[in-house]
Amino acid sequence: MRSQKSYTNTTFTKRVDHEGGEHREARAGHNAVCKTCGAVFENKHWISGMRARALHIAPPKETVECPACKQVAAGTYGGEVIIDGKFYAEHHDEIDSLLRNEELRAREDNPISRIMSWNAKKGLDTLDIETTTDHLAQRLGHVLKKAYSGELQYNFSHENKVVRVSWHRD
Ligand SMILES: [Zn+2]
């Protein structure tokens, strides 16, 4: 009988790696506000500045830089979405706004989830997006598949740190 001891839950390992360090720092402190984007660290969670105002949470006095703003400054992305094919070339306005709207929704849930870079290539046949979290990359791939069908692939890079989501439709 094969031992079941050596299972590797790559998703679990990756999340511990990715979020452990960043959150440990914030957890050690008190409630704080990100000096760059206004996200609020409250009760051990990051919430958007807008949501904090809606919940009537007083802005914390302590300022920090949130994990997402640190990532943007350092250029270290957590996920990548590559979109290509004739369908994108022909419907880029529609697809771009679908992705932007999904990012806004994701960011309302978790302000640490955001698009870091947006590169259209080859005369708009290809779009390459970098996201702060692998979760957002997967979410954007999912919304494309749901809206337009096409071919969706997930790939993990070395050490399972970064997910590349590829979506293609001709
Ligand atoms: Zn921030």
Side-chain angles (χ1 to χ4, degrees):
M1 208 174 97
R2 194 171 283 243
S3 163
Q4 297 192 345
K5 247 194 298 183
S6 61
Y7 71 91
T8 51
N9 186 334
T10 55
T11 305
F12 177 73
T13 308
K14 177 160 48 57
R15 287 192 191 288
V16 169
D17 279 349
H18 180 69
E19 295 179 359
E22 304 287 5
H23 285 194
R24 199 177 305 128
E25 187 184 314
R27 261 186 209 121
H30 311 285
N31 291 353
V33 59
C34 175
K35 61 190 174 192
T36 307
C37 71
V40 171
F41 190 71
E42 153 79 16
N43 198 19
K44 299 182 181 176
H45 293 285
W46 285 99
I47 57 175
S48 69
M50 204 191 290
R51 177 168 288 185
R53 282 191 294 279
L55 294 171
H56 304 290
I57 293 168
K61 289 197 178 69
E62 190 176 329
T63 58
V64 291
E65 191 157 49
C66 76
C69 288
K70 276 186 194 162
Q71 273 183 263
V72 171
T76 49
Y77 59 94
E80 188 178 20
V81 186
I82 310 271
I83 292 158
D84 69 355
K86 234 189 306 173
F87 189 83
Y88 178 66
E90 288 162 2
H91 300 89
H92 62 89
D93 284 344
E94 196 187 320
I95 291 174
D96 288 356
S97 61
L98 177 82
L99 295 170
R100 291 292 190 190
N101 286 336
E102 191 64 21
E103 185 213 8
L104 281 180
R105 273 197 290 273
R107 206 168 159 164
E108 257 314 289
D109 294 344
N110 175 8
I112 302 314
S113 222
R114 65 184 76 158
I115 290 174
M116 288 176 57
S117 74
W118 182 281
N119 297 299
K121 293 174 189 164
K122 293 182 202 163
L124 291 180
D125 279 2
T126 303
L127 173 65
D128 182 348
I129 295 171
E130 290 171 355
T131 58
T132 51
T133 63
D134 63 325
H135 179 259
L136 179 59
Q138 293 180 55
R139 183 164 167 168
L140 294 177
H142 179 75
V143 80
L144 283 168
K145 176 83 178 171
K146 201 173 148 196
Y148 305 113
S149 193
E151 298 155 39
L152 183 65
Q153 281 189 324
Y154 298 106
N155 297 294
F156 289 89
S157 76
H158 68 289
E159 297 177 348
N160 300 309
K161 294 240 186 210
V162 176
V163 67
R164 176 177 293 157
V165 177
S166 310
W167 183 78
H168 175 88
R169 184 175 160 183
D170 283 321

